[in-house]
Amino acid sequence: MKSPVMWLVLLALGLAGSARADEAKLKACFIYVGPVGDIGWSHAHDEARKLTMKALPWLETQYVESVPEGQALPVIDRLVKGGCQVVLTTSFGFMDQTLEAAKKYPKVVFAHATGFKRAPNMATYMADFYQIYYLNGLMAGALTKSGKVGYVGAFPIPELKRHISAFAMGVRAVNPQATVNVKWISAWVSPVKAREAAEALMAEGNDVLAFTEDTATVVQVAGRKKVPAFAHYSPMQRFAPDFVVSGQLVHWEKIYIDFLSKVRDGTYAPGKLQDVDYWWLLREGAVEMGGQPGVPINPKFVDALKKAQMTVGGKQVSVYDRVQELLKDMSSSKPGFDPFTGPLPDRQGVTRVPAGKTLTKEELNQMQWVAPGVTGPVADEPK
């Protein structure tokens, strides 16, 4: 028979062991296409990683930055050998190698951002901006005097095609003859190319700028020329306080906290991820409109947007009121408006979305056509 003292010792040891088990870390590793100091995409993912660690004390993380697309597999090999239980790859161009790694390491959990290929141990996720791009387009259409809006684009992948198309549809809802003129720079992070493209667009008469490139270069160039611009991914209003109208901000931590919590409790595990596809928008709080948090529209542009008028349902309303109305609607639990509701033609005049139909997330994720008003060559555009 064990003495009472021995029982207490055994109980204490049992509780200590249980506590250690509860404190067991989950190791999640992130692969970024750019440097964490890029201010844009990779910076936003890394800020979310830090916020996720604060929210989940049992989480351990590691990241590798500036990994070229097409060179992810050796990095994944190294991370898995280093004990990573979850690998999150954060760029479209990592998709095929993430899928290859998922087959190679069937006991590791993988998640790929922005793609559409999945496996039993590989999920996909996206915090998408197409709703916000439409709203930004409304404001751009109101502010352009030349009817020419410039866009600096990284690569013509489906993500950018839907964003640029949503932006162009917003521009044309206010200014039906306006164009969105795109210059591709074939780089996610290139301040030099971004500057050259922005300057060329302004020289061609584009008097409002938007972009997809992971630095604040376009905002800074536009500010020096006193041209309104829209920020991208991270807070950029501080780089041109008088000229950033709005923009799109991301909260990847909303997805990371949910996903990694479910990995830890076993809801998500190898064999259970084939159909896991996060598609989180304004409604889920994964994205936010604005050039800085909590400021959907720069106050310096409010008066101009209130004076600008557009036609909605046969009635004249201010662009400012329309933006606020749609922002509220699309942030609600059951949005009534979606920019990609038909009838919608592409810029060739081919009907891509029939009347009464709204594009699904799968169709948006594989979108190759672009909307009317977009000018410039677009690779893989259907004829």
Side-chain angles (χ1 to χ4, degrees):
M1 180 179 291
K2 295 182 176 67
S3 70
V5 173
M6 185 176 290
W7 277 115
L8 289 171
V9 170
L10 291 172
L11 179 61
L13 289 172
L15 290 172
S18 176
R20 283 195 296 272
D22 289 342
E23 292 168 3
K25 296 284 188 177
L26 176 72
K27 187 172 183 180
C29 299
F30 297 73
I31 299 177
Y32 305 143
V33 71
V36 296
D38 65 8
I39 308 300
W41 175 270
S42 294
H43 173 78
H45 278 281
D46 201 56
E47 289 299 299
R49 177 188 66 84
K50 295 173 187 174
L51 290 169
T52 303
M53 286 188 68
K54 288 182 181 178
L56 307 178
W58 40 262
L59 181 66
E60 177 185 351
T61 69
Q62 181 180 345
Y63 71 86
V64 181
E65 60 185 327
S66 300
V67 177
E69 292 182 327
Q71 297 182 32
L73 192 56
V75 177
I76 294 172
D77 289 337
R78 189 168 76 247
L79 292 174
V80 171
K81 289 177 183 176
C84 294
Q85 299 154 280
V86 183
V87 177
L88 302 112
T89 56
T90 65
S91 191
F92 182 81
F94 294 152
M95 179 167 63
D96 289 336
Q97 291 200 320
T98 305
L99 183 63
E100 184 180 349
K103 294 175 181 177
K104 186 176 181 180
Y105 302 109
K107 294 183 179 180
V108 175
V109 169
F110 291 88
H112 174 245
T114 77
F116 52 86
K117 295 182 181 180
R118 292 186 292 279
N121 61 325
M122 176 180 163
T124 48
Y125 66 99
M126 184 60 176
D128 199 75
F129 285 143
Y130 79 90
Q131 297 167 313
I132 298 176
Y133 265 108
Y134 181 84
L135 299 177
N136 285 341
L138 293 176
M139 292 184 275
L143 294 171
T144 180
K145 294 180 175 64
S146 66
K148 298 174 72 174
V149 177
Y151 197 103
V152 177
F155 294 96
I157 61 174
E159 177 189 343
L160 269 73
K161 290 178 181 180
R162 70 174 173 267
H163 289 172
I164 293 169
S165 292
F167 185 67
M169 288 190 288
V171 168
R172 285 203 154 190
V174 176
N175 192 334
Q177 302 306 313
T179 56
V180 174
N181 308 297
V182 182
K183 288 193 182 296
W184 303 103
I185 61 173
S186 300
W188 292 116
V189 183
S190 179
V192 173
K193 289 182 178 180
R195 176 182 54 78
E196 291 172 348
E199 289 177 343
L201 285 165
M202 289 186 291
E204 292 167 7
N206 294 277
D207 59 357
V208 178
L209 294 182
F211 66 100
T212 299
E213 190 268 342
D214 293 338
T215 71
T217 301
V218 172
V219 161
Q220 292 169 311
V221 171
R224 286 196 290 270
K225 295 287 187 178
K226 299 183 178 180
V227 167
F230 291 83
H232 177 63
Y233 259 102
S234 293
M236 294 184 180
Q237 192 163 314
R238 68 186 187 274
F239 293 102
D242 294 334
F243 297 99
V244 171
V245 183
S246 185
Q248 51 276 342
L249 300 168
V250 70
H251 295 286
W252 289 112
E253 68 275 6
K254 298 282 188 178
I255 293 176
Y256 288 145
I257 290 169
D258 188 84
F259 181 78
L260 292 169
S261 295
K262 288 175 179 173
V263 171
R264 190 171 193 254
D265 71 18
T267 302
Y268 294 158
K272 299 180 179 180
L273 299 179
Q274 183 74 54
D275 299 318
V276 174
D277 177 28
Y278 284 72
W279 179 254
W280 282 16
L281 309 170
L282 281 165
R283 177 176 56 193
E284 291 82 10
V287 295
E288 177 184 356
M289 188 178 84
Q292 67 183 43
V295 184
I297 301 173
N298 187 334
K300 294 180 182 295
F301 291 92
V302 168
D303 285 346
L305 294 172
K306 285 184 175 179
K307 290 176 184 175
Q309 298 288 303
M310 63 182 293
T311 303
V312 179
K315 298 180 181 179
Q316 288 289 295
V317 299
S318 81
V319 172
Y320 178 85
D321 288 345
R322 181 62 171 166
V323 169
Q324 295 290 7
E325 175 192 9
L326 292 181
L327 178 60
K328 181 179 179 181
D329 172 76
M330 292 189 288
S331 300
S332 69
S333 59
K334 293 183 178 179
F337 177 85
D338 190 289
F340 286 106
T341 297
L344 293 177
D346 64 16
R347 68 175 180 174
Q348 313 294 337
V350 177
T351 298
R352 294 296 173 183
V353 188
K357 183 181 182 299
T358 300
L359 288 186
T360 64
K361 65 182 179 183
E362 290 77 18
E363 290 168 328
L364 288 168
N365 268 322
Q366 299 183 53
M367 182 173 163
Q368 294 292 2
W369 58 274
V370 293
V374 177
T375 73
V378 177
D380 301 318
E381 181 182 11
K383 302 299 183 185

